[in-house]
Amino acid sequence: MILEVAMLKVHAGQERAFEEAMAKAAPVIAGSRGYLGHELRQCVETSGRYLLLVQWETLEAHTVGFRQSPAFNQWREIIGGFFTEAPVVEHYQGVLKWPEKSS
Amino acid sequence: MILEVAMLKVHAGQERAFEEAMAKAAPVIAGSRGYLGHELRQCVETSGRYLLLVQWETLEAHTVGFRQSPAFNQWREIIGGFFTEAPVVEHYQGVLKWPEKSS
């Protein structure tokens, strides 16, 4: 599993509208091939700062499969207007998980 | 659940040793009250860049419970020498999780 990590900065006062837009946009990304799940989290220390974590089967499921699909335009149309600057997006592969068994 | 997000930059050539140290350090943090689990991930795009994600019951479980415990000194002793700069640490609270049920 590859984790997409996107750092998002949202215009002041638009946090609630952004969160509602993200809820609306969720099925758009969730329908993409190789998508496993995602979550949106809000920074405790910095207002308007969010972290988007998306689990993908492979790197290409995101960078090619999703980003080059019509769904990506739809996704960007719903949420693209909220950001004060372009999101910083990186991908992370697993090294260590603890506890080792989740049972 | 509060997610601690730490961005780590490790000296070139020390990645393997750092990962081994993190495996050794895992039980140290895992024994802390309010700790729920953690994972270490390596950046696909940037060599030596890691993401540490730690799940805590509350913010204070990390900032007070762990950081002010003897275990924190032990933790830092094991992994503190690998970083090229001080880790950037933030905390994130949940806003949206998808799929909505994990069953």
Side-chain angles (χ1 to χ4, degrees):
Chain A
M1 185 271 279
I2 288 285
L3 187 69
E4 173 197 349
V5 178
M7 289 287 184
L8 313 174
K9 293 182 187 174
V10 169
H11 288 290
Q14 293 190 17
E15 292 86 355
R16 175 58 64 94
F18 168 67
E19 293 174 12
E20 289 171 2
M22 283 295 290
K24 188 179 164 195
V28 176
I29 194 170
S32 199
R33 184 186 297 268
Y35 163 95
L36 297 171
H38 77 283
E39 58 181 317
L40 177 71
R41 292 188 157 268
Q42 185 174 29
C43 187
V44 173
E45 287 85 5
T46 308
S47 173
R49 187 165 168 83
Y50 289 83
L51 187 68
L52 173 67
L53 302 172
V54 190
Q55 298 177 29
W56 298 98
E57 282 179 6
T58 63
L59 179 65
E60 292 72 23
H62 176 227
T63 59
V64 181
F66 180 56
R67 279 193 177 156
Q68 297 182 11
S69 71
F72 184 63
N73 295 331
Q74 197 183 343
W75 164 265
R76 213 160 43 173
E77 199 171 298
I78 300 170
I79 63 165
F82 290 97
F83 304 131
T84 62
E85 55 191 78
V88 176
V89 180
E90 296 176 311
H91 299 88
Y92 287 84
Q93 59 194 1
V95 174
L96 173 96
K97 194 169 166 64
W98 201 270
E100 292 173 290
K101 291 182 183 178
S102 61
S103 61
Chain B
M1 184 273 279
I2 288 286
L3 188 68
E4 172 198 347
V5 178
M7 290 286 186
L8 313 175
K9 294 182 187 172
V10 169
H11 288 290
Q14 294 190 16
E15 291 87 353
R16 175 58 62 95
F18 168 66
E19 293 174 12
E20 288 172 0
M22 284 295 289
K24 188 178 163 195
V28 175
I29 194 170
S32 199
R33 183 185 297 267
Y35 163 96
L36 297 172
H38 77 283
E39 58 181 318
L40 177 71
R41 292 188 158 267
Q42 186 174 29
C43 187
V44 172
E45 287 85 5
T46 307
S47 173
R49 189 164 166 83
Y50 289 84
L51 188 67
L52 174 68
L53 301 171
V54 189
Q55 298 177 28
W56 297 98
E57 281 179 8
T58 63
L59 180 64
E60 293 71 24
H62 176 226
T63 59
V64 182
F66 181 56
R67 278 193 178 158
Q68 297 182 12
S69 71
F72 184 64
N73 295 331
Q74 197 183 343
W75 164 265
R76 213 161 43 174
E77 199 172 299
I78 299 171
I79 63 165
F82 289 98
F83 305 130
T84 62
E85 55 192 77
V88 176
V89 180
E90 296 176 311
H91 299 88
Y92 286 84
Q93 58 194 2
V95 173
L96 172 95
K97 195 169 167 62
W98 201 270
E100 293 174 289
K101 290 181 182 180
S102 62
S103 62

